[in-house]
Amino acid sequence: MTLASILAPVTQRVRLMAPRDRWLLLGGGMLLTVFFIHWMLIAPMRQELARLRENVPADRAKLAKMQVQAGLLASVRASSPVGTGVQESLRATVEKTAEQRGLRTALRQFQDNAVSVQFSLDDVEADALLRWLEELSSRHGIRARNVQMELLPQAGWVRATLVLRGSAP
């Protein structure tokens, strides 16, 4: 069965209609087509447009608020003693700052986990150790949880065991 064989009786019936009835059928078909296009295409687009007209200003307000908050967060991070950018591990920060202070060679017996690091310092000047601990605290937010110092025979020199803890993220 083909489309032509299905439509043949319909076309035969339309040909037998009076011209006025054919025009009426054609107008009704066109009106039905316009209604169908409106119902399927135009109405959903209008609804979406109305929804966007409501949501876009609200989303812009949210965006502006988020940008203000991002600026505040950036200023807080910039003033934070922990530093900015990629966060180093606690051990890496301790080793790097010890290297900068000339204490790296004295570091011994590292034991570290996610929140603290324990190690020993052999034969280090006490004042240099205290300045280094102050730097760790003020610049990096690393606090000494436990410090044990043993005085050495050489004046001003110590052997120390420390447990340091990083600040909470």
Side-chain angles (χ1 to χ4, degrees), residues 17-166:
M17 286 182 166
R20 177 176 173 243
D21 293 339
R22 273 191 249 160
W23 281 109
L24 225 98
L25 184 63
L26 180 64
M30 288 173 62
L31 187 64
L32 190 60
T33 303
V34 167
F35 175 74
F36 184 74
I37 289 173
H38 177 76
W39 179 63
M40 291 296 289
L41 298 174
I42 296 171
M45 287 193 307
R46 281 185 151 177
Q47 289 173 346
E48 182 66 13
L49 183 61
R51 186 188 67 78
L52 288 174
R53 283 188 177 142
E54 288 178 19
N55 290 348
V56 168
D59 289 346
R60 282 189 179 149
K62 284 181 192 175
L63 176 62
K65 186 176 181 181
M66 289 167 57
Q67 287 172 333
V68 168
Q69 290 173 344
L72 292 173
L73 182 62
S75 67
V76 167
R77 281 186 179 166
S79 66
S80 172
V82 176
T84 59
V86 177
Q87 186 111 357
E88 286 184 294
S89 72
L90 182 59
R91 181 176 179 159
T93 304
V94 167
E95 288 178 337
K96 183 176 82 173
T97 56
E99 180 78 32
Q100 292 168 351
R101 289 282 183 164
L103 301 173
R104 178 71 178 98
T105 56
L107 290 176
R108 304 275 185 270
Q109 302 173 352
F110 259 100
Q111 294 177 352
D112 60 335
N113 59 41
V115 293
S116 66
V117 62
Q118 179 177 347
F119 58 93
S120 300
L121 286 159
D122 289 340
D123 302 328
V124 66
E125 191 178 358
D127 287 341
L129 174 61
L130 294 174
R131 284 190 300 270
W132 178 56
L133 289 173
E134 172 59 30
E135 176 188 346
L136 286 173
S137 175
S138 64
R139 286 192 179 172
H140 303 284
I142 298 172
R143 307 269 187 241
R145 298 270 299 170
N146 187 3
V147 178
Q148 296 176 352
M149 288 190 214
E150 176 187 337
L151 292 174
L152 297 177
Q154 189 177 1
W157 289 76
V158 294
R159 180 175 297 125
T161 303
L162 298 103
V163 177
L164 302 180
R165 185 176 193 127

